Amino acid sequence: MNDKISLMRSLVERLNQASLAYYNGEGERMTDYEWDAMFDQLKKLEEETGEILPDSPTNKVSEDQIAGQKEEHEFAALSLAKTKKVSDLVKWAEDRPIWISWKLDGLTLVVTYDNGSLSKVVTRGNGHIGTNITHLAPAISGIPATIKEKGHLVVRGEAVISYADFEQFIIESEGDYANPRNLASGSLSLKDVEVVKQRHIQWIPFTLVYTEHEITSWGKRMQLLEDLGLHPVERQLIEHPTEDHILQEIDVFTKKVTNKKNPFPVDGLVICYDDTVYGATGSVTGHHATRAGFAFKWQDEHADTELDHIEWSCAANTITPVAVFKPVELEGTTVQRASLCNVSECERLGIGGKGTKLQVIKANKIIPKVIHVTEAIGTLEIPEFCPVCHAEAKVQKSESGTKTLHCTNPHCAAKQLKKFARFVSKEGLNIEGISEQTIWKFVNEGLISEYADFYKLREPEKVFKISNFEGFGKKSVSNLLNSVEKSRHTDGRHLLYALNIPLCGGDVAKKLIERYPLEELIDIAQNSTSLFGDDFADIDGIGPEKSAKFINWFHDADNRAHVAHLLPHLVIEKQEPIEKGTKCDGLTFVVTGDVHHYKNRNELKAYIESQGGKVTGSVSKSTHYLINNDAESQSSKNKKAHELNIPIITEEQFIAQFGEE
């Protein structure tokens, strides 16, 4: 008996430590697979002994500990009982109509509206008391400031980050987040709204907790949220919840996970009664309301395999270990690679060298994951040099104690990912069909280290190498090379934008090219002896700061070399400098609404600028004219123009006064 109690204490301690890290954006302590197995072991011991320790996770709600002003929930946010058996769901449903929906893997937020306006956003906390993070609402997509609903409305939803946005963040940042949920949780502990906004957190409602309308159908309550523009979780009604019917719907949702049709991380499914009155009649056992809902978690299929090697790949500033092992079949697909996240995860698992025996799963049926080392052979060798640029690599320890490997070379090609992405973008050289993930792959495989390398991908040995990459069939390689070939034909404006020159966006590049031919422009910049670098400062919209940045960029030897290597691969359209007219000289315009004479508003803007005018996005005291074909519109711009006594003219009136003769 004492041995069992001792084991229970050990399990409780390990589970609570892992939960604390999981719910607060810290490094991952164990996989969901391990946590579930340990939780089930603890639960079985509690049943055998009749003892439940005070801090047992079976008897309390997992809690986020986001710092900030604490607030008691108006309605307790209890957790759901969990099962991996469909028979449990059938028994629970009692042949009543039920709904099945995603169990989103994020951070629960309770959002409250009063008289159509957002009044507060509170984290779930321990289910009774959470943290008020209303100040972060503008940074979270899906939480509108106002809705068309008067009265009191309380909605519970999940703050999540898509797999695509998470992968992008990991490529660009130096963070040590293990998964999207980890990142979402860590992000909501930040104070800076602009920083949080860059994490692309989305809030998806999963239940309407309170409304002043008398709606007793869960489905109709969710439809109300839909009608209010709140985009609730995907869901499906099961009128007659027999085992076959439930299995059928679970299979539909499961296929969306395995086929990657669902962009957000999920860790199971939720079922609830359509009859919300009946659902509220259950009792509370531990931290579960017995009729509030039931969570179904998939049985993770695991496989035993053998490590071949660790592949270290560099993205931005971090060098990430990836386990490459003998192929195994999991969830209907062949798996032979799994990210190990960082050095700390390798140490936690006890990863060794070639031949190490591993157990792997596809976590939540989608992400390959090493869950256990059954036998370590040899020791893990952490590289001393960056796999991309071969500069020294060093292990660094974050504030949370997570160890990550970093490249020490600030000029490493892997750190230029955003620049390469801008280079191939539509506004740049427009190499269609090449994503940042593809660029990252090419950089790590040594195919791309500077801009000119995109035009060397046609070399036979490189084509052969790309053809052997996962996901690159004959057709995709052909499409890529055709796109690269097509992009060779460009003009000076797109090239200048593609070069990532500081402060040289599309408009600045356009203004420079309108004044000078490309060759002359580069020659002036490279040979400028101006003390302040103000050779282009007199161009409207450039000024001394942008001029200096442009010239200083071309004074850098590495930048000049990159341009010199790139130019022979391009056919640059000759553009004669545009002589500007004076019909709009010194005037500032705002254009709103549809246009009819010009192809679009951009063409009208281009004409105004060609005549010495300026176009801005909002009406202010410095605006001279608002162009709007609907002069009687009650739009905010029209109202502002009336307040400031700014003339509102139609497109025809503009043409009559400022158009070409």
Side-chain angles (χ1 to χ4, degrees):
M1 182 72 168
N2 287 337
D3 289 344
K4 288 185 177 181
I5 297 295
S6 178
L7 177 56
M8 287 165 59
R9 286 199 183 97
S10 173
L11 291 171
V12 165
E13 183 179 352
R14 292 171 65 190
L15 287 166
N16 286 341
Q17 286 176 350
S19 287
L20 189 65
Y22 182 83
Y23 281 93
N24 294 285
E26 299 175 9
E28 190 174 68
R29 302 291 177 86
M30 64 176 69
T31 64
D32 287 348
Y33 183 91
E34 292 172 296
W35 200 93
D36 287 343
M38 209 173 284
F39 184 91
D40 290 343
Q41 183 184 4
L42 174 62
K43 200 169 182 180
K44 185 178 179 182
L45 286 168
E46 288 175 344
E47 291 170 356
E48 290 175 359
T49 62
E51 294 268 351
I52 297 178
L53 299 175
D55 55 346
S56 171
T58 67
N59 196 41
K60 67 185 182 70
V61 177
S62 296
E63 178 179 0
D64 67 69
Q65 294 188 354
I66 292 175
Q69 179 186 340
K70 300 302 177 184
E71 185 155 336
E72 186 174 356
H73 287 301
E74 184 179 357
F75 304 94
L78 301 176
S79 62
L80 303 176
K82 300 176 180 64
T83 186
K84 294 183 178 181
K85 299 176 182 177
V86 174
S87 58
D88 287 343
L89 301 183
V90 175
K91 183 179 178 181
W92 180 87
E94 299 175 323
D95 202 30
R96 294 172 176 270
I98 60 171
W99 287 86
I100 186 168
S101 61
W102 294 120
K103 186 175 184 292
L104 295 163
D105 193 16
L107 193 76
T108 298
L109 301 180
V110 182
V111 176
T112 304
Y113 288 91
D114 286 292
N115 296 318
S117 296
L118 177 68
S119 54
K120 61 183 176 181
V121 179
V122 182
T123 68
R124 180 170 177 256
N126 63 6
H128 298 279
I129 297 174
T131 304
N132 190 311
I133 59 165
T134 310
H135 64 288
L136 291 180
I140 304 170
S141 175
I143 305 181
T146 59
I147 57 174
K148 293 180 180 178
E149 169 71 15
K150 303 305 177 185
H152 190 56
L153 194 80
V154 182
V155 187
R156 210 172 285 147
E158 200 80 352
V160 292
I161 295 175
S162 71
Y163 284 115
D165 286 330
F166 174 72
E167 288 167 5
Q168 191 61 46
F169 178 85
I170 293 302
I171 286 173
E172 296 173 14
S173 78
E174 300 177 20
D176 55 8
Y177 298 98
N179 51 52
R181 196 243 176 265
N182 204 233
L183 175 59
S185 178
S187 300
L188 293 178
S189 65
L190 303 174
K191 303 295 182 186
D192 191 325
V193 172
E194 290 305 313
V195 172
V196 175
K197 191 178 291 184
Q198 293 169 13
R199 309 294 178 89
H200 300 290
I201 299 173
Q202 301 182 57
W203 181 71
I204 301 176
F206 57 73
T207 195
L208 171 55
V209 181
Y210 178 83
T211 174
E212 293 179 1
H213 300 289
E214 291 187 11
I215 306 174
T216 59
S217 162
W218 186 86
K220 290 180 180 178
R221 290 166 78 91
M222 297 299 279
Q223 186 58 51
L224 173 62
L225 296 181
E226 195 93 57
D227 295 342
L228 293 173
L230 293 181
H231 308 297
V233 67
E234 182 181 354
R235 56 209 179 275
Q236 179 61 49
L237 175 66
I238 304 177
E239 289 275 9
H240 303 290
T242 63
E243 186 159 341
D244 285 345
H245 287 158
I246 294 177
L247 272 171
Q248 183 179 336
E249 293 304 332
I250 286 176
D251 188 51
V252 171
F253 277 87
T254 302
K255 283 179 179 176
K256 289 181 181 180
V257 174
T258 55
N259 295 335
K260 300 184 180 179
K261 299 293 184 183
N262 177 44
F264 300 104
V266 296
D267 60 351
L269 301 167
V270 172
I271 65 167
C272 65
Y273 293 112
D274 184 60
D275 185 344
T276 57
V277 175
Y278 181 74
T281 60
S283 59
V284 175
T285 303
H287 56 285
H288 304 128
T290 57
R291 287 182 180 156
F294 221 117
F296 174 79
K297 302 198 77 173
W298 290 288
Q299 294 274 5
D300 285 313
E301 176 188 344
H302 77 269
D304 294 303
T305 185
E306 189 175 295
L307 181 68
D308 184 78
H309 65 280
I310 300 293
E311 180 183 281
W312 296 84
S313 59
C314 191
N317 194 40
T318 307
I319 303 172
T320 305
V322 176
V324 182
F325 41 79
K326 288 183 178 180
V328 291
E329 291 293 318
L330 283 171
E331 311 292 352
T333 60
T334 301
V335 178
Q336 59 185 50
R337 298 164 59 84
S339 173
L340 293 167
C341 298
N342 48 53
V343 175
S344 288
E345 178 69 355
C346 292
E347 291 177 347
R348 185 185 73 78
L349 288 166
I351 293 289
K354 183 179 177 67
T356 292
K357 305 295 190 298
L358 309 172
Q359 277 190 345
V360 295
I361 63 168
K362 284 184 78 174
N364 294 322
K365 299 195 176 289
I366 189 167
I367 305 295
K369 190 103 176 168
V370 176
I371 58 165
H372 187 55
V373 171
T374 53
E375 182 186 356
I377 306 295
T379 57
L380 173 69
E381 293 185 9
I382 299 173
E384 297 179 0
F385 303 99
C386 172
V388 174
C389 70
H390 309 297
E392 185 182 7
K394 287 187 176 180
V395 174
Q396 296 178 10
K397 198 171 185 178
S398 70
E399 290 182 6
S400 65
T402 302
K403 296 178 184 176
T404 49
L405 187 64
H406 294 263
C407 172
T408 59
N409 174 17
H411 302 294
C412 176
K415 297 180 182 180
Q416 314 306 316
L417 185 64
K418 291 302 290 181
K419 292 183 178 180
F420 288 134
R422 174 163 164 168
F423 180 82
V424 306
S425 70
K426 189 172 182 179
E427 280 295 300
L429 270 292
N430 194 22
I431 304 179
E432 297 177 353
I434 183 165
S435 65
E436 289 195 21
Q437 282 283 27
T438 300
I439 297 172
W440 172 75
K441 179 71 173 175
F442 287 178
V443 167
N444 275 275
E445 293 293 337
L447 296 173
I448 301 292
S449 62
E450 62 171 311
Y451 300 136
D453 290 336
F454 285 98
Y455 297 96
K456 300 175 185 177
L457 294 175
R458 191 174 286 279
E459 295 172 3
E461 66 276 12
K462 293 183 179 178
V463 173
F464 178 77
K465 191 170 186 178
I466 295 170
S467 299
N468 286 295
F469 291 162
E470 186 178 347
F472 279 84
K474 186 176 180 180
K475 186 175 180 180
S476 60
V477 174
S478 176
N479 289 342
L480 172 65
L481 296 178
N482 288 338
S483 184
V484 170
E485 195 64 29
K486 184 180 175 183
S487 76
R488 291 182 189 273
H489 295 266
T490 187
D491 58 41
R493 180 176 72 84
H494 285 86
L495 174 60
L496 290 181
Y497 178 88
L499 292 175
N500 287 275
I501 302 168
L503 303 184
C504 186
D507 281 345
V508 170
K510 180 172 177 284
K511 292 176 189 299
L512 289 167
I513 289 297
E514 285 176 350
R515 176 68 70 90
Y516 297 101
L518 181 67
E519 297 85 349
E520 185 179 346
L521 185 69
I522 293 175
D523 185 62
I524 293 171
Q526 289 183 346
N527 296 295
S528 172
T529 57
S530 168
L531 185 64
F532 301 105
D534 56 2
D535 299 68
F536 308 114
D538 66 321
I539 300 175
D540 183 43
I542 302 297
E545 184 183 9
K546 292 174 183 174
S547 176
K549 290 284 188 184
F550 189 86
I551 288 169
N552 289 339
W553 191 88
F554 277 100
H555 277 198
D556 182 277
D558 288 336
N559 293 335
R560 288 201 306 273
H562 291 324
V563 173
H565 297 161
L566 174 64
L567 288 177
H569 296 282
L570 303 177
V571 178
I572 300 173
E573 177 187 326
K574 296 288 183 182
Q575 292 173 285
E576 293 299 323
I578 297 173
E579 291 295 330
K580 286 206 172 185
T582 59
K583 292 184 178 180
C584 302
D585 198 27
L587 299 176
T588 298
F589 296 81
V590 173
V591 183
T592 189
D594 295 329
V595 294
H596 311 299
H597 178 81
Y598 293 91
K599 289 180 183 177
N600 50 48
R601 287 190 291 188
N602 283 337
E603 187 179 66
L604 174 52
K605 177 185 176 184
Y607 173 76
I608 292 171
E609 291 175 343
S610 75
Q611 295 297 318
K614 183 179 179 182
V615 179
T616 61
S618 57
V619 177
S620 67
K621 291 179 180 178
S622 61
T623 304
H624 293 93
Y625 293 95
L626 171 63
I627 302 173
N628 188 349
N629 283 323
D630 184 3
E632 302 305 316
S633 165
Q634 293 301 304
S635 69
S636 59
K637 288 178 181 175
N638 273 30
K639 289 179 181 177
K640 189 71 172 178
H642 284 304
E643 289 174 13
L644 299 174
N645 293 317
I646 291 165
I648 302 174
I649 61 175
T650 65
E651 190 180 2
E652 295 302 322
Q653 289 173 316
F654 169 82
I655 292 169
Q657 190 171 350
F658 303 101
E660 299 176 19
E661 295 178 357

